[in-house]
Structure formats: C-alpha cells, structure tokens
Amino acid sequence: MKKVLFALVLVGGLLALSSCSKECNCVGKYKGDVKYEQTLKLDDGKRCSDYNFYMNVAGIEVEVKCSPALF
C-alpha cells in the first residue's frame, strides 16, 4: 500500500511541476511524419495547448502538438 501511495504522490508531483513550466515542447507533423521539434517559451497567460493546431485538407493532415516541458 505504501508503494502505491508513493507512486501516486510522485506522479502528482511531476504533474504539478509540469503545469508551472514556462516552456513547451512542440512537434510538427505533415502526413503523420515528424517534420520538426521545437521548444517554445510561453507568453503570459498562455498554455501549451493554446499552440496546438490540426488541419486536414483533401486527406493531407498537418498537426502541431505542444506539451509542457517537465524540467
């Protein structure tokens, strides 16, 4: 039981630290292939999910997905 509680506290701590991060790791994909990876600094009041983008035109998919940098 102690191990489960410790694991939950550890995961919660990592999530809490990631929410305070001022940087996002973004991955851009074209037709499912990764075309670039970039680290962005967040503007005031912005979240990483604000930079997410998806478009599908005539079966061609373009996507940018950003997630908080953990450390």
Side-chain angles (χ1 to χ4, degrees):
M1 182 66 182
K2 289 182 182 179
K3 291 180 182 180
V4 172
L5 182 60
F6 178 73
L8 289 174
V9 169
L10 183 64
V11 169
L14 286 175
L15 290 175
L17 288 174
S18 69
S19 66
C20 296
S21 177
K22 299 294 181 193
E23 293 185 344
C24 297
N25 294 326
C26 298
V27 176
K29 294 182 181 181
Y30 176 74
K31 294 184 179 180
D33 296 327
V34 174
K35 294 299 179 184
Y36 74 88
E37 295 181 24
Q38 182 177 2
T39 301
L40 296 176
K41 291 189 180 193
L42 289 175
D43 296 330
D44 290 335
K46 293 280 189 173
R47 298 179 304 185
C48 289
S49 62
D50 294 338
Y51 296 99
N52 290 348
F53 174 79
Y54 178 81
M55 183 172 55
N56 184 345
V57 177
I60 298 173
E61 295 179 335
V62 177
E63 178 182 20
V64 175
K65 180 133 179 135
C66 297
S67 58
L70 290 178
F71 298 104

Tab-separated table of all heavy atoms in Angstrom:
chain	number	residue	atom	x	y	z
A	1	MET	N	0.821	-1.190	0.000
A	1	MET	CA	0.000	0.000	0.000
A	1	MET	C	0.869	1.259	0.000
A	1	MET	O	0.531	2.243	-0.651
A	1	MET	CB	-0.920	-0.051	1.229
A	1	MET	CG	-1.859	1.083	1.325
A	1	MET	SD	-3.053	1.011	-0.036
A	1	MET	CE	-3.982	2.443	0.281
A	2	LYS	N	1.982	1.206	0.731
A	2	LYS	CA	2.869	2.365	0.787
A	2	LYS	C	3.483	2.664	-0.577
A	2	LYS	O	3.662	3.816	-0.939
A	2	LYS	CB	3.975	2.142	1.820
A	2	LYS	CG	3.493	2.188	3.247
A	2	LYS	CD	4.654	2.002	4.205
A	2	LYS	CE	4.177	1.988	5.636
A	2	LYS	NZ	5.278	1.791	6.587
A	3	LYS	N	3.791	1.618	-1.336
A	3	LYS	CA	4.387	1.805	-2.657
A	3	LYS	C	3.394	2.478	-3.609
A	3	LYS	O	3.774	3.335	-4.398
A	3	LYS	CB	4.843	0.470	-3.235
A	3	LYS	CG	6.023	-0.115	-2.512
A	3	LYS	CD	6.429	-1.434	-3.130
A	3	LYS	CE	7.578	-2.047	-2.366
A	3	LYS	NZ	7.991	-3.335	-2.932
A	4	VAL	N	2.141	2.081	-3.523
A	4	VAL	CA	1.114	2.679	-4.379
A	4	VAL	C	0.935	4.140	-4.030
A	4	VAL	O	0.873	5.008	-4.908
A	4	VAL	CB	-0.219	1.913	-4.252
A	4	VAL	CG1	-1.333	2.638	-4.981
A	4	VAL	CG2	-0.070	0.491	-4.756
A	5	LEU	N	0.870	4.461	-2.750
A	5	LEU	CA	0.726	5.839	-2.299
A	5	LEU	C	1.927	6.677	-2.732
A	5	LEU	O	1.770	7.799	-3.212
A	5	LEU	CB	0.559	5.894	-0.783
A	5	LEU	CG	0.342	7.277	-0.188
A	5	LEU	CD1	-0.922	7.908	-0.754
A	5	LEU	CD2	0.258	7.189	1.317
A	6	PHE	N	3.124	6.120	-2.596
A	6	PHE	CA	4.333	6.831	-3.020
A	6	PHE	C	4.307	7.104	-4.521
A	6	PHE	O	4.650	8.202	-4.966
A	6	PHE	CB	5.587	6.014	-2.657
A	6	PHE	CG	6.857	6.653	-3.106
A	6	PHE	CD1	7.352	7.774	-2.469
A	6	PHE	CD2	7.561	6.140	-4.190
A	6	PHE	CE1	8.523	8.378	-2.899
A	6	PHE	CE2	8.725	6.732	-4.627
A	6	PHE	CZ	9.211	7.854	-3.972
A	7	ALA	N	3.886	6.124	-5.309
A	7	ALA	CA	3.815	6.300	-6.765
A	7	ALA	C	2.807	7.386	-7.126
A	7	ALA	O	3.062	8.214	-8.002
A	7	ALA	CB	3.446	4.985	-7.443
A	8	LEU	N	1.671	7.414	-6.454
A	8	LEU	CA	0.663	8.449	-6.725
A	8	LEU	C	1.178	9.838	-6.372
A	8	LEU	O	0.950	10.795	-7.107
A	8	LEU	CB	-0.622	8.148	-5.961
A	8	LEU	CG	-1.437	6.964	-6.451
A	8	LEU	CD1	-2.609	6.697	-5.514
A	8	LEU	CD2	-1.925	7.193	-7.864
A	9	VAL	N	1.875	9.950	-5.263
A	9	VAL	CA	2.442	11.239	-4.860
A	9	VAL	C	3.510	11.678	-5.857
A	9	VAL	O	3.571	12.848	-6.242
A	9	VAL	CB	3.017	11.163	-3.424
A	9	VAL	CG1	3.834	12.402	-3.083
A	9	VAL	CG2	1.885	10.983	-2.427
A	10	LEU	N	4.328	10.755	-6.307
A	10	LEU	CA	5.376	11.071	-7.279
A	10	LEU	C	4.782	11.554	-8.599
A	10	LEU	O	5.212	12.571	-9.145
A	10	LEU	CB	6.264	9.849	-7.509
A	10	LEU	CG	7.452	10.037	-8.441
A	10	LEU	CD1	8.418	11.052	-7.847
A	10	LEU	CD2	8.151	8.723	-8.670
A	11	VAL	N	3.779	10.866	-9.111
A	11	VAL	CA	3.127	11.269	-10.366
A	11	VAL	C	2.446	12.626	-10.190
A	11	VAL	O	2.540	13.493	-11.056
A	11	VAL	CB	2.115	10.195	-10.829
A	11	VAL	CG1	1.248	10.707	-11.954
A	11	VAL	CG2	2.852	8.935	-11.243
A	12	GLY	N	1.786	12.831	-9.073
A	12	GLY	CA	1.144	14.122	-8.805
A	12	GLY	C	2.151	15.251	-8.745
A	12	GLY	O	1.909	16.349	-9.240
A	13	GLY	N	3.295	14.992	-8.143
A	13	GLY	CA	4.358	15.999	-8.084
A	13	GLY	C	4.890	16.354	-9.460
A	13	GLY	O	5.127	17.524	-9.764
A	14	LEU	N	5.088	15.360	-10.309
A	14	LEU	CA	5.554	15.627	-11.675
A	14	LEU	C	4.530	16.445	-12.457
A	14	LEU	O	4.888	17.359	-13.197
A	14	LEU	CB	5.852	14.319	-12.404
A	14	LEU	CG	7.121	13.598	-11.983
A	14	LEU	CD1	7.231	12.254	-12.695
A	14	LEU	CD2	8.339	14.437	-12.277
A	15	LEU	N	3.263	16.129	-12.308
A	15	LEU	CA	2.221	16.891	-12.992
A	15	LEU	C	2.167	18.327	-12.484
A	15	LEU	O	1.972	19.260	-13.259
A	15	LEU	CB	0.867	16.205	-12.826
A	15	LEU	CG	0.689	14.893	-13.571
A	15	LEU	CD1	-0.651	14.262	-13.216
A	15	LEU	CD2	0.811	15.108	-15.064
A	16	ALA	N	2.344	18.500	-11.194
A	16	ALA	CA	2.331	19.854	-10.628
A	16	ALA	C	3.511	20.666	-11.146
A	16	ALA	O	3.374	21.855	-11.457
A	16	ALA	CB	2.362	19.783	-9.102
A	17	LEU	N	4.671	20.049	-11.256
A	17	LEU	CA	5.846	20.761	-11.770
A	17	LEU	C	5.688	21.109	-13.241
A	17	LEU	O	6.115	22.170	-13.682
A	17	LEU	CB	7.108	19.918	-11.571
A	17	LEU	CG	7.619	19.788	-10.144
A	17	LEU	CD1	8.774	18.808	-10.096
A	17	LEU	CD2	8.022	21.128	-9.581
A	18	SER	N	5.068	20.224	-14.001
A	18	SER	CA	4.918	20.494	-15.428
A	18	SER	C	3.930	21.624	-15.686
A	18	SER	O	4.044	22.345	-16.663
A	18	SER	CB	4.502	19.240	-16.181
A	18	SER	OG	3.186	18.879	-15.839
A	19	SER	N	2.957	21.809	-14.812
A	19	SER	CA	1.981	22.869	-15.029
A	19	SER	C	2.584	24.246	-14.781
A	19	SER	O	2.067	25.249	-15.260
A	19	SER	CB	0.758	22.649	-14.142
A	19	SER	OG	1.113	22.787	-12.787
A	20	CYS	N	3.676	24.319	-14.039
A	20	CYS	CA	4.324	25.597	-13.756
A	20	CYS	C	5.408	25.918	-14.784
A	20	CYS	O	6.033	26.967	-14.706
A	20	CYS	CB	4.953	25.560	-12.373
A	20	CYS	SG	3.757	25.365	-11.043
A	21	SER	N	5.644	25.021	-15.685
A	21	SER	CA	6.700	25.216	-16.668
A	21	SER	C	6.381	26.394	-17.574
A	21	SER	O	5.237	26.633	-17.939
A	21	SER	CB	6.855	23.948	-17.515
A	21	SER	OG	7.814	24.148	-18.505
A	22	LYS	N	7.395	27.129	-17.947
A	22	LYS	CA	7.236	28.274	-18.834
A	22	LYS	C	7.651	27.932	-20.253
A	22	LYS	O	7.773	28.805	-21.088
A	22	LYS	CB	8.061	29.459	-18.319
A	22	LYS	CG	7.667	29.935	-16.952
A	22	LYS	CD	6.272	30.527	-16.979
A	22	LYS	CE	5.899	31.033	-15.604
A	22	LYS	NZ	4.506	31.334	-15.479
A	23	GLU	N	7.900	26.658	-20.527
A	23	GLU	CA	8.303	26.210	-21.852
A	23	GLU	C	7.444	25.044	-22.312
A	23	GLU	O	6.949	24.270	-21.496
A	23	GLU	CB	9.768	25.792	-21.861
A	23	GLU	CG	10.733	26.933	-21.650
A	23	GLU	CD	12.173	26.497	-21.798
A	23	GLU	OE1	12.443	25.278	-21.761
A	23	GLU	OE2	13.023	27.369	-21.931
A	24	CYS	N	7.282	24.944	-23.620
A	24	CYS	CA	6.532	23.847	-24.229
A	24	CYS	C	7.416	23.145	-25.247
A	24	CYS	O	8.175	23.787	-25.959
A	24	CYS	CB	5.308	24.370	-24.971
A	24	CYS	SG	4.119	25.185	-23.931
A	25	ASN	N	7.294	21.840	-25.309
A	25	ASN	CA	7.922	21.061	-26.369
A	25	ASN	C	6.859	20.831	-27.443
A	25	ASN	O	5.819	20.254	-27.169
A	25	ASN	CB	8.430	19.727	-25.834
A	25	ASN	CG	9.559	19.902	-24.855
A	25	ASN	OD1	10.367	20.801	-24.980
A	25	ASN	ND2	9.611	19.049	-23.855
A	26	CYS	N	7.114	21.302	-28.652
A	26	CYS	CA	6.148	21.190	-29.745
A	26	CYS	C	6.698	20.292	-30.844
A	26	CYS	O	7.891	20.334	-31.148
A	26	CYS	CB	5.826	22.564	-30.324
A	26	CYS	SG	5.070	23.674	-29.123
A	27	VAL	N	5.804	19.501	-31.423
A	27	VAL	CA	6.155	18.601	-32.515
A	27	VAL	C	5.223	18.913	-33.680
A	27	VAL	O	4.002	18.948	-33.514
A	27	VAL	CB	5.991	17.124	-32.090
A	27	VAL	CG1	6.269	16.193	-33.253
A	27	VAL	CG2	6.897	16.800	-30.929
A	28	GLY	N	5.816	19.150	-34.852
A	28	GLY	CA	5.043	19.401	-36.065
A	28	GLY	C	5.068	18.184	-36.963
A	28	GLY	O	6.132	17.615	-37.207
A	29	LYS	N	3.889	17.769	-37.430
A	29	LYS	CA	3.786	16.599	-38.299
A	29	LYS	C	3.087	16.975	-39.598
A	29	LYS	O	2.163	17.784	-39.610
A	29	LYS	CB	2.986	15.490	-37.616
A	29	LYS	CG	3.652	14.919	-36.393
A	29	LYS	CD	2.823	13.803	-35.810
A	29	LYS	CE	3.480	13.229	-34.565
A	29	LYS	NZ	2.696	12.118	-34.012
A	30	TYR	N	3.555	16.362	-40.681
A	30	TYR	CA	2.948	16.516	-42.004
A	30	TYR	C	2.718	15.122	-42.555
A	30	TYR	O	3.668	14.338	-42.680
A	30	TYR	CB	3.875	17.325	-42.915
A	30	TYR	CG	3.390	17.467	-44.328
A	30	TYR	CD1	2.334	18.306	-44.640
A	30	TYR	CD2	3.987	16.752	-45.352
A	30	TYR	CE1	1.892	18.442	-45.939
A	30	TYR	CE2	3.547	16.887	-46.660
A	30	TYR	CZ	2.494	17.729	-46.944
A	30	TYR	OH	2.054	17.859	-48.230
A	31	LYS	N	1.481	14.783	-42.803
A	31	LYS	CA	1.093	13.446	-43.253
A	31	LYS	C	1.561	12.370	-42.283
A	31	LYS	O	1.990	11.292	-42.681
A	31	LYS	CB	1.626	13.145	-44.654
A	31	LYS	CG	1.041	13.986	-45.745
A	31	LYS	CD	1.571	13.537	-47.103
A	31	LYS	CE	0.986	14.326	-48.229
A	31	LYS	NZ	1.500	13.891	-49.541
A	32	GLY	N	1.548	12.684	-40.998
A	32	GLY	CA	1.916	11.724	-39.968
A	32	GLY	C	3.401	11.615	-39.687
A	32	GLY	O	3.804	10.970	-38.728
A	33	ASP	N	4.242	12.233	-40.517
A	33	ASP	CA	5.692	12.189	-40.313
A	33	ASP	C	6.134	13.431	-39.551
A	33	ASP	O	5.726	14.549	-39.878
A	33	ASP	CB	6.441	12.141	-41.652
A	33	ASP	CG	6.151	10.870	-42.434
A	33	ASP	OD1	5.934	9.818	-41.794
A	33	ASP	OD2	6.154	10.932	-43.676
A	34	VAL	N	6.999	13.250	-38.570
A	34	VAL	CA	7.522	14.380	-37.800
A	34	VAL	C	8.440	15.203	-38.696
A	34	VAL	O	9.388	14.690	-39.277
A	34	VAL	CB	8.292	13.885	-36.556
A	34	VAL	CG1	8.952	15.043	-35.836
A	34	VAL	CG2	7.362	13.132	-35.617
A	35	LYS	N	8.134	16.485	-38.824
A	35	LYS	CA	8.929	17.385	-39.659
A	35	LYS	C	9.786	18.322	-38.827
A	35	LYS	O	10.817	18.797	-39.293
A	35	LYS	CB	8.028	18.209	-40.583
A	35	LYS	CG	7.316	17.361	-41.614
A	35	LYS	CD	8.311	16.648	-42.507
A	35	LYS	CE	7.611	15.774	-43.530
A	35	LYS	NZ	8.519	15.013	-44.337
A	36	TYR	N	9.348	18.654	-37.610
A	36	TYR	CA	10.188	19.481	-36.745
A	36	TYR	C	9.791	19.305	-35.283
A	36	TYR	O	8.680	18.907	-34.970
A	36	TYR	CB	10.122	20.963	-37.132
A	36	TYR	CG	8.848	21.666	-36.750
A	36	TYR	CD1	8.713	22.269	-35.502
A	36	TYR	CD2	7.784	21.740	-37.618
A	36	TYR	CE1	7.539	22.907	-35.150
A	36	TYR	CE2	6.616	22.380	-37.274
A	36	TYR	CZ	6.498	22.970	-36.033
A	36	TYR	OH	5.334	23.595	-35.692
A	37	GLU	N	10.742	19.598	-34.423
A	37	GLU	CA	10.528	19.644	-32.983
A	37	GLU	C	11.109	20.957	-32.502
A	37	GLU	O	12.191	21.356	-32.936
A	37	GLU	CB	11.195	18.473	-32.291
A	37	GLU	CG	10.597	17.134	-32.681
A	37	GLU	CD	11.245	15.962	-31.966
A	37	GLU	OE1	11.809	16.166	-30.869
A	37	GLU	OE2	11.187	14.861	-32.517
A	38	GLN	N	10.379	21.633	-31.623
A	38	GLN	CA	10.802	22.955	-31.188
A	38	GLN	C	10.377	23.177	-29.745
A	38	GLN	O	9.343	22.685	-29.311
A	38	GLN	CB	10.162	24.006	-32.090
A	38	GLN	CG	10.553	25.413	-31.789
A	38	GLN	CD	9.922	26.388	-32.781
A	38	GLN	OE1	9.166	26.003	-33.659
A	38	GLN	NE2	10.233	27.647	-32.621
A	39	THR	N	11.172	23.945	-29.011
A	39	THR	CA	10.818	24.356	-27.664
A	39	THR	C	10.414	25.820	-27.705
A	39	THR	O	11.160	26.660	-28.205
A	39	THR	CB	12.004	24.155	-26.700
A	39	THR	OG1	12.367	22.773	-26.699
A	39	THR	CG2	11.643	24.570	-25.292
A	40	LEU	N	9.217	26.107	-27.195
A	40	LEU	CA	8.698	27.469	-27.175
A	40	LEU	C	8.660	28.006	-25.758
A	40	LEU	O	8.371	27.270	-24.823
A	40	LEU	CB	7.266	27.504	-27.719
A	40	LEU	CG	7.024	27.133	-29.158
A	40	LEU	CD1	5.523	27.137	-29.427
A	40	LEU	CD2	7.708	28.117	-30.068
A	41	LYS	N	8.919	29.292	-25.608
A	41	LYS	CA	8.706	29.957	-24.328
A	41	LYS	C	7.293	30.524	-24.340
A	41	LYS	O	6.876	31.157	-25.303
A	41	LYS	CB	9.723	31.068	-24.113
A	41	LYS	CG	11.107	30.530	-23.892
A	41	LYS	CD	12.067	31.601	-23.476
A	41	LYS	CE	13.426	30.951	-23.276
A	41	LYS	NZ	14.340	31.813	-22.599
A	42	LEU	N	6.561	30.283	-23.259
A	42	LEU	CA	5.172	30.709	-23.188
A	42	LEU	C	5.053	32.208	-22.949
A	42	LEU	O	5.816	32.794	-22.179
A	42	LEU	CB	4.454	29.983	-22.054
A	42	LEU	CG	4.177	28.515	-22.255
A	42	LEU	CD1	3.580	27.918	-20.994
A	42	LEU	CD2	3.246	28.302	-23.424
A	43	ASP	N	4.075	32.821	-23.614
A	43	ASP	CA	3.713	34.202	-23.332
A	43	ASP	C	2.887	34.219	-22.052
A	43	ASP	O	2.313	33.208	-21.651
A	43	ASP	CB	2.895	34.789	-24.477
A	43	ASP	CG	3.680	34.873	-25.773
A	43	ASP	OD1	4.915	35.030	-25.703
A	43	ASP	OD2	3.066	34.768	-26.850
A	44	ASP	N	2.785	35.375	-21.409
A	44	ASP	CA	1.991	35.492	-20.185
A	44	ASP	C	0.538	35.126	-20.456
A	44	ASP	O	-0.060	35.558	-21.443
A	44	ASP	CB	2.058	36.917	-19.629
A	44	ASP	CG	3.430	37.242	-19.067
A	44	ASP	OD1	4.139	36.302	-18.669
A	44	ASP	OD2	3.785	38.441	-19.019
A	45	GLY	N	-0.031	34.317	-19.588
A	45	GLY	CA	-1.425	33.936	-19.701
A	45	GLY	C	-1.711	32.842	-20.718
A	45	GLY	O	-2.862	32.487	-20.927
A	46	LYS	N	-0.704	32.295	-21.374
A	46	LYS	CA	-0.890	31.246	-22.383
A	46	LYS	C	-0.601	29.873	-21.779
A	46	LYS	O	0.140	29.741	-20.809
A	46	LYS	CB	0.039	31.465	-23.580
A	46	LYS	CG	-0.278	32.689	-24.383
A	46	LYS	CD	-1.429	32.411	-25.304
A	46	LYS	CE	-1.608	33.556	-26.269
A	46	LYS	NZ	-2.594	33.265	-27.277
A	47	ARG	N	-1.194	28.849	-22.396
A	47	ARG	CA	-0.925	27.464	-22.040
A	47	ARG	C	-0.371	26.768	-23.267
A	47	ARG	O	-0.561	27.232	-24.399
A	47	ARG	CB	-2.204	26.765	-21.602
A	47	ARG	CG	-2.838	27.379	-20.369
A	47	ARG	CD	-4.100	26.671	-20.015
A	47	ARG	NE	-5.002	26.698	-21.176
A	47	ARG	CZ	-6.225	26.239	-21.165
A	47	ARG	NH1	-6.719	25.694	-20.099
A	47	ARG	NH2	-6.974	26.295	-22.259
A	48	CYS	N	0.276	25.648	-23.066
A	48	CYS	CA	0.835	24.889	-24.197
A	48	CYS	C	-0.259	24.484	-25.176
A	48	CYS	O	-0.060	24.523	-26.391
A	48	CYS	CB	1.568	23.657	-23.690
A	48	CYS	SG	3.104	24.035	-22.839
A	49	SER	N	-1.405	24.128	-24.670
A	49	SER	CA	-2.491	23.680	-25.549
A	49	SER	C	-3.005	24.801	-26.454
A	49	SER	O	-3.646	24.529	-27.472
A	49	SER	CB	-3.638	23.103	-24.721
A	49	SER	OG	-4.173	24.091	-23.860
A	50	ASP	N	-2.719	26.058	-26.127
A	50	ASP	CA	-3.128	27.173	-26.989
A	50	ASP	C	-2.382	27.158	-28.326
A	50	ASP	O	-2.838	27.786	-29.290
A	50	ASP	CB	-2.888	28.516	-26.291
A	50	ASP	CG	-3.780	28.706	-25.079
A	50	ASP	OD1	-4.838	28.047	-24.999
A	50	ASP	OD2	-3.421	29.517	-24.202
A	51	TYR	N	-1.253	26.480	-28.389
A	51	TYR	CA	-0.448	26.436	-29.605
A	51	TYR	C	-0.731	25.197	-30.457
A	51	TYR	O	-0.148	25.033	-31.518
A	51	TYR	CB	1.041	26.501	-29.260
A	51	TYR	CG	1.422	27.795	-28.608
A	51	TYR	CD1	1.560	27.904	-27.230
A	51	TYR	CD2	1.640	28.935	-29.373
A	51	TYR	CE1	1.908	29.097	-26.637
A	51	TYR	CE2	1.986	30.134	-28.784
A	51	TYR	CZ	2.113	30.211	-27.411
A	51	TYR	OH	2.441	31.396	-26.822
A	52	ASN	N	-1.616	24.306	-29.975
A	52	ASN	CA	-1.961	23.112	-30.748
A	52	ASN	C	-2.735	23.511	-32.001
A	52	ASN	O	-3.516	24.463	-31.990
A	52	ASN	CB	-2.798	22.147	-29.912
A	52	ASN	CG	-1.997	21.494	-28.811
A	52	ASN	OD1	-0.784	21.570	-28.777
A	52	ASN	ND2	-2.682	20.862	-27.888
A	53	PHE	N	-2.508	22.760	-33.089
A	53	PHE	CA	-3.133	23.074	-34.368
A	53	PHE	C	-3.333	21.777	-35.141
A	53	PHE	O	-2.476	20.895	-35.115
A	53	PHE	CB	-2.205	24.010	-35.160
A	53	PHE	CG	-2.663	24.299	-36.549
A	53	PHE	CD1	-3.651	25.228	-36.785
A	53	PHE	CD2	-2.109	23.637	-37.631
A	53	PHE	CE1	-4.083	25.508	-38.076
A	53	PHE	CE2	-2.518	23.905	-38.925
A	53	PHE	CZ	-3.515	24.849	-39.140
A	54	TYR	N	-4.466	21.663	-35.815
A	54	TYR	CA	-4.721	20.492	-36.651
A	54	TYR	C	-5.526	20.935	-37.868
A	54	TYR	O	-6.486	21.702	-37.751
A	54	TYR	CB	-5.500	19.421	-35.890
A	54	TYR	CG	-5.829	18.221	-36.748
A	54	TYR	CD1	-4.888	17.228	-36.965
A	54	TYR	CD2	-7.064	18.101	-37.355
A	54	TYR	CE1	-5.173	16.138	-37.761
A	54	TYR	CE2	-7.367	17.014	-38.153
A	54	TYR	CZ	-6.416	16.035	-38.352
A	54	TYR	OH	-6.701	14.958	-39.143
A	55	MET	N	-5.123	20.449	-39.042
A	55	MET	CA	-5.858	20.745	-40.264
A	55	MET	C	-5.779	19.525	-41.176
A	55	MET	O	-4.731	18.907	-41.313
A	55	MET	CB	-5.247	21.962	-40.968
A	55	MET	CG	-6.005	22.381	-42.206
A	55	MET	SD	-5.463	23.942	-42.934
A	55	MET	CE	-3.728	23.683	-43.186
A	56	ASN	N	-6.914	19.197	-41.803
A	56	ASN	CA	-6.983	18.090	-42.748
A	56	ASN	C	-7.678	18.615	-43.998
A	56	ASN	O	-8.861	18.936	-43.974
A	56	ASN	CB	-7.757	16.920	-42.146
A	56	ASN	CG	-7.776	15.714	-43.054
A	56	ASN	OD1	-7.468	15.790	-44.232
A	56	ASN	ND2	-8.147	14.584	-42.483
A	57	VAL	N	-6.924	18.723	-45.079
A	57	VAL	CA	-7.464	19.203	-46.349
A	57	VAL	C	-7.180	18.147	-47.412
A	57	VAL	O	-6.017	17.798	-47.643
A	57	VAL	CB	-6.839	20.555	-46.756
A	57	VAL	CG1	-7.352	20.998	-48.112
A	57	VAL	CG2	-7.115	21.610	-45.704
A	58	ALA	N	-8.225	17.650	-48.012
A	58	ALA	CA	-8.109	16.652	-49.078
A	58	ALA	C	-7.265	15.448	-48.650
A	58	ALA	O	-6.466	14.923	-49.413
A	58	ALA	CB	-7.545	17.272	-50.344
A	59	GLY	N	-7.422	15.041	-47.390
A	59	GLY	CA	-6.706	13.876	-46.887
A	59	GLY	C	-5.278	14.129	-46.443
A	59	GLY	O	-4.584	13.214	-46.018
A	60	ILE	N	-4.812	15.381	-46.546
A	60	ILE	CA	-3.458	15.728	-46.100
A	60	ILE	C	-3.570	16.352	-44.713
A	60	ILE	O	-4.240	17.370	-44.529
A	60	ILE	CB	-2.778	16.702	-47.078
A	60	ILE	CG1	-2.646	16.046	-48.447
A	60	ILE	CG2	-1.421	17.138	-46.542
A	60	ILE	CD1	-2.144	16.966	-49.529
A	61	GLU	N	-2.932	15.719	-43.745
A	61	GLU	CA	-3.008	16.176	-42.365
A	61	GLU	C	-1.771	16.978	-41.977
A	61	GLU	O	-0.651	16.570	-42.268
A	61	GLU	CB	-3.143	14.996	-41.416
A	61	GLU	CG	-4.423	14.224	-41.587
A	61	GLU	CD	-4.526	13.053	-40.647
A	61	GLU	OE1	-3.482	12.539	-40.194
A	61	GLU	OE2	-5.651	12.641	-40.364
A	62	VAL	N	-2.018	18.100	-41.328
A	62	VAL	CA	-0.948	18.920	-40.755
A	62	VAL	C	-1.310	19.117	-39.291
A	62	VAL	O	-2.437	19.492	-38.963
A	62	VAL	CB	-0.848	20.293	-41.467
A	62	VAL	CG1	0.209	21.142	-40.812
A	62	VAL	CG2	-0.564	20.103	-42.938
A	63	GLU	N	-0.349	18.867	-38.396
A	63	GLU	CA	-0.637	18.930	-36.966
A	63	GLU	C	0.558	19.498	-36.211
A	63	GLU	O	1.704	19.183	-36.510
A	63	GLU	CB	-0.943	17.522	-36.444
A	63	GLU	CG	-1.207	17.454	-34.973
A	63	GLU	CD	-1.466	16.039	-34.498
A	63	GLU	OE1	-1.093	15.080	-35.193
A	63	GLU	OE2	-2.050	15.892	-33.416
A	64	VAL	N	0.276	20.339	-35.232
A	64	VAL	CA	1.276	20.812	-34.266
A	64	VAL	C	0.717	20.503	-32.895
A	64	VAL	O	-0.400	20.890	-32.571
A	64	VAL	CB	1.555	22.323	-34.399
A	64	VAL	CG1	2.501	22.780	-33.316
A	64	VAL	CG2	2.106	22.648	-35.773
A	65	LYS	N	1.476	19.761	-32.099
A	65	LYS	CA	1.039	19.391	-30.765
A	65	LYS	C	2.100	19.806	-29.769
A	65	LYS	O	3.270	19.454	-29.915
A	65	LYS	CB	0.811	17.889	-30.692
A	65	LYS	CG	0.365	17.422	-29.348
A	65	LYS	CD	-0.787	16.501	-29.475
A	65	LYS	CE	-1.165	16.042	-28.078
A	65	LYS	NZ	-2.543	16.074	-27.844
A	66	CYS	N	1.699	20.591	-28.772
A	66	CYS	CA	2.621	21.096	-27.765
A	66	CYS	C	2.247	20.546	-26.392
A	66	CYS	O	1.071	20.439	-26.063
A	66	CYS	CB	2.576	22.618	-27.725
A	66	CYS	SG	3.097	23.390	-29.257
A	67	SER	N	3.259	20.217	-25.609
A	67	SER	CA	3.059	19.739	-24.250
A	67	SER	C	4.074	20.414	-23.342
A	67	SER	O	5.146	20.818	-23.790
A	67	SER	CB	3.200	18.212	-24.194
A	67	SER	OG	4.473	17.837	-24.657
A	68	PRO	N	3.747	20.556	-22.060
A	68	PRO	CA	4.660	21.231	-21.129
A	68	PRO	C	5.997	20.501	-21.006
A	68	PRO	O	6.034	19.272	-20.992
A	68	PRO	CB	3.913	21.206	-19.801
A	68	PRO	CG	2.503	20.922	-20.131
A	68	PRO	CD	2.502	20.156	-21.411
A	69	ALA	N	7.061	21.278	-20.939
A	69	ALA	CA	8.395	20.706	-20.684
A	69	ALA	C	8.459	20.376	-19.193
A	69	ALA	O	8.127	21.217	-18.355
A	69	ALA	CB	9.484	21.699	-21.073
A	70	LEU	N	8.855	19.161	-18.852
A	70	LEU	CA	8.853	18.752	-17.452
A	70	LEU	C	9.945	19.439	-16.639
A	70	LEU	O	9.709	19.850	-15.524
A	70	LEU	CB	8.991	17.235	-17.350
A	70	LEU	CG	7.782	16.439	-17.808
A	70	LEU	CD1	8.068	14.950	-17.693
A	70	LEU	CD2	6.557	16.798	-16.993
A	71	PHE	N	11.124	19.560	-17.191
A	71	PHE	CA	12.209	20.150	-16.380
A	71	PHE	C	13.018	21.108	-17.197
A	71	PHE	O	13.226	21.082	-18.305
A	71	PHE	CB	13.131	19.067	-15.841
A	71	PHE	CG	12.408	18.120	-14.920
A	71	PHE	CD1	12.059	16.860	-15.359
A	71	PHE	CD2	12.049	18.510	-13.660
A	71	PHE	CE1	11.402	15.977	-14.533
A	71	PHE	CE2	11.375	17.635	-12.822
A	71	PHE	CZ	11.060	16.368	-13.255
